[in-house]
Amino acid sequence: MIRHTFKSIASCILLTLGSATLQAQTASVNAICSTDGPWCELAAKEFTRQTGIKVFQTHKATGEAQAQLRAEAANPKTDIWWGGTGDPYYQAAEVGLLDPYRPAYINDLHGWAVRQYAMSQNYVGGFYTSAIGFGYNEEVLKKKSLPPPKCWKDLLNPIYKGEIETSHPASSGTAYTILAGLVQLMGEDAAFDYLKKLNKNITQYTRSGQAQARSVGKGEVGIGISFIFGFENERITNKFPVQSVAPCEGTSYEIGGIALVKGARNKEAAKRYYDWLMSPEGQQIGARANSLQVPANKTFKPDPRIPTIDNVRLVKYDFEKYGKAAERRRLVDRWVKEVESQPR
C-alpha cells in the first residue's frame, strides 16, 4: 500500500513536471520591439532559448507601434511593447492601451528609470537612456572641406545644404524627442523658426530615427541628428570614420520605454519576457547586439563602450507634458504645416 502510494506520488510529480515543460514549450508571447533591430532579434532568440517560450516579434518605430496598438485596441494581438523613446508610451497609456505593472525589483533600477514608473503611474517602465546629438563622417566632411558641427546653430550654415539627415516626428520617437527638446531649449516659436531654417539643409526625413547612424557610417550623408549611442556604435564596433558630439547649447534625451499591453492574450508569458528584459541578463543583450544605450538595471557593470551622458548638458525634459497625445499631435501637426511644407 505504501509502495503504491509512493508510486502514485511520483507519477503525479512526473506528470506535473511534464505538463510544466510542455506548457513552456507551447507558450508564446507577441511583442513589438522599437529599439535597434539586432537587439530585438537577439533578445527574442535568447529568451526563447532559456525559457522555451516562443516570441513572435515585429520591429517598428515607436510612432508606428503606437498606431498599431490603437488599431488593435478592440481586439489586442500584441502582449508587450519594448524599446524606443518613452513619449509614445505615455500617449498609449493616456488613451488606455496599456496595463500598469510595477516590478518587485524596482530598487535594482537607476533613479531615472524609477521616475518613469512614477510619472506614468506604473504604465511605462524606464528601459534605458541616451542623449540626442550629432554624428558626422570625418572623411566626407574633409573631402568637402566642411568643419564638424559643435552646436545647434552650426547646422544652419548654408555650407551644410543637403548634408544633414534626420527623421520624421510623425513616425519616429527619436524625431519627436528632438522636436520637443528644441521647444524646451529655445521656446516654441524660436524652435520652429530654427527648424524652418534647418529644413533647407536637410537631405531627407527618414521614417525611423535609427537610420542616421548607418547613413553617416556609410558616408551616404555627412551629418546625422539622432541618439549619440548609434553614432558611437558605428565608430567603435563597425570602425567607420564617425565622430559624435552633444550640442553645446544643450540637448534632449530619451528614457526608453517598456510596457504590457491592455487585454493581452498571453499576459503571464508577457510578464516573464518583461522581467527577463529588465534583468541583468536581458539588459546586457543590448551591448551584445552593439546597441549602446545606458541600461536601466544598475546591479551589473555595463559594457565600457556605452557612452556616458555625465558631461552632456541636458535640458530639463518635461516627460509628463510632452508625453501627452494632444501635445505630441499639436507639435507634429505644426511641424508638418510649417516645416515639412517648406521647399528645400
Side-chain angles (χ1 to χ4, degrees):
M1 183 70 177
I2 293 174
R3 183 181 298 173
H4 177 73
T5 302
F6 280 139
K7 286 177 71 177
S8 298
I9 292 171
S11 296
C12 288
I13 291 172
L14 287 172
L15 284 170
T16 301
L17 290 173
S19 176
T21 302
L22 181 62
Q23 188 176 17
Q25 289 173 344
T26 57
S28 64
V29 59
N30 298 314
I32 297 176
C33 180
S34 297
T35 189
D36 294 339
W39 187 353
C40 301
E41 294 168 12
L42 185 57
K45 180 180 178 181
E46 283 294 304
F47 178 72
T48 298
R49 185 182 67 81
Q50 293 178 27
T51 66
I53 298 173
K54 294 180 180 179
V55 180
F56 299 99
Q57 186 167 266
T58 58
H59 181 240
K60 290 181 179 289
T62 48
E64 294 174 333
Q66 188 200 119
Q68 179 175 324
L69 294 187
R70 282 177 177 269
E72 294 178 358
N75 184 25
K77 297 178 176 61
T78 304
D79 304 310
I80 180 174
W81 177 23
W82 64 281
T85 52
D87 289 333
Y89 285 81
Y90 275 81
Q91 293 143 24
E94 184 186 354
V95 295
L97 299 175
L98 306 179
D99 262 346
Y101 183 55
R102 188 173 180 86
Y105 45 84
I106 194 80
N107 291 331
D108 291 345
L109 310 179
H110 284 290
W112 47 263
V114 177
R115 285 193 293 273
Q116 184 94 318
Y117 283 95
M119 286 189 293
S120 68
Q121 289 77 54
N122 299 317
Y123 282 94
V124 185
F127 191 61
Y128 55 61
T129 190
S130 182
I132 291 290
F134 317 142
Y136 58 90
N137 188 300
E138 293 178 297
E139 291 181 0
V140 171
L141 296 192
K142 184 178 180 180
K143 184 178 180 181
K144 299 183 178 183
S145 300
L146 298 175
K150 297 179 180 179
C151 307
W152 288 110
K153 67 177 186 297
D154 295 342
L155 299 184
L156 301 185
N157 193 323
I159 62 174
Y160 293 127
K161 184 174 178 61
E163 290 295 337
I164 303 173
E165 180 183 291
T166 188
S167 47
H168 196 296
S171 60
S172 166
T174 302
Y176 180 71
T177 300
I178 296 168
L179 171 58
L182 288 172
V183 167
Q184 292 168 84
L185 178 67
M186 301 176 178
E188 186 169 327
D189 288 341
F192 274 89
D193 286 341
Y194 172 85
L195 290 165
K196 283 184 276 190
K197 294 174 183 175
L198 178 64
N199 182 66
K200 297 175 183 178
N201 288 345
I202 299 294
T203 180
Q204 69 169 331
Y205 295 101
T206 63
R207 289 174 60 190
S208 170
Q210 298 167 25
Q212 284 64 54
R214 182 48 54 94
S215 295
V216 170
K218 290 182 174 180
E220 294 171 355
V221 293
I223 301 167
I225 310 172
S226 186
F227 287 108
I228 290 173
F229 75 84
F231 301 116
E232 286 298 291
N233 180 45
E234 294 300 318
R235 179 179 67 85
I236 297 171
T237 306
N238 296 329
K239 309 300 182 185
F240 285 123
V242 173
Q243 295 294 332
S244 65
V245 61
C248 69
E249 303 96 335
T251 192
S252 53
Y253 63 102
E254 71 169 333
I255 297 178
I258 183 169
L260 298 174
V261 177
K262 187 175 182 179
R265 300 176 182 179
N266 306 292
K267 192 168 186 177
E268 292 308 310
K271 284 184 178 179
R272 286 191 65 182
Y273 194 28
Y274 185 118
D275 292 340
W276 183 85
L277 287 165
M278 293 295 285
S279 72
E281 190 167 25
Q283 293 260 289
Q284 290 179 53
I285 294 291
R288 282 179 56 190
N290 297 318
S291 195
L292 304 179
Q293 297 96 320
V294 179
N297 195 303
K298 64 182 180 182
T299 64
F300 71 100
K301 188 175 181 180
D303 192 294
R305 297 174 299 160
I306 295 174
T308 179
I309 60 172
D310 293 345
N311 299 319
V312 177
R313 182 180 293 180
L314 300 173
V315 301
K316 191 175 181 180
Y317 198 102
D318 189 338
F319 289 97
E320 187 172 3
K321 176 180 178 179
Y322 292 96
K324 291 188 181 301
E327 184 66 4
R328 180 183 186 278
R329 186 165 53 249
R330 185 184 69 81
L331 287 177
V332 171
D333 286 348
R334 183 175 179 182
W335 184 89
V336 169
K337 181 180 179 181
E338 297 185 17
V339 180
E340 187 179 28
S341 64
Q342 297 297 313
R344 295 206 298 273

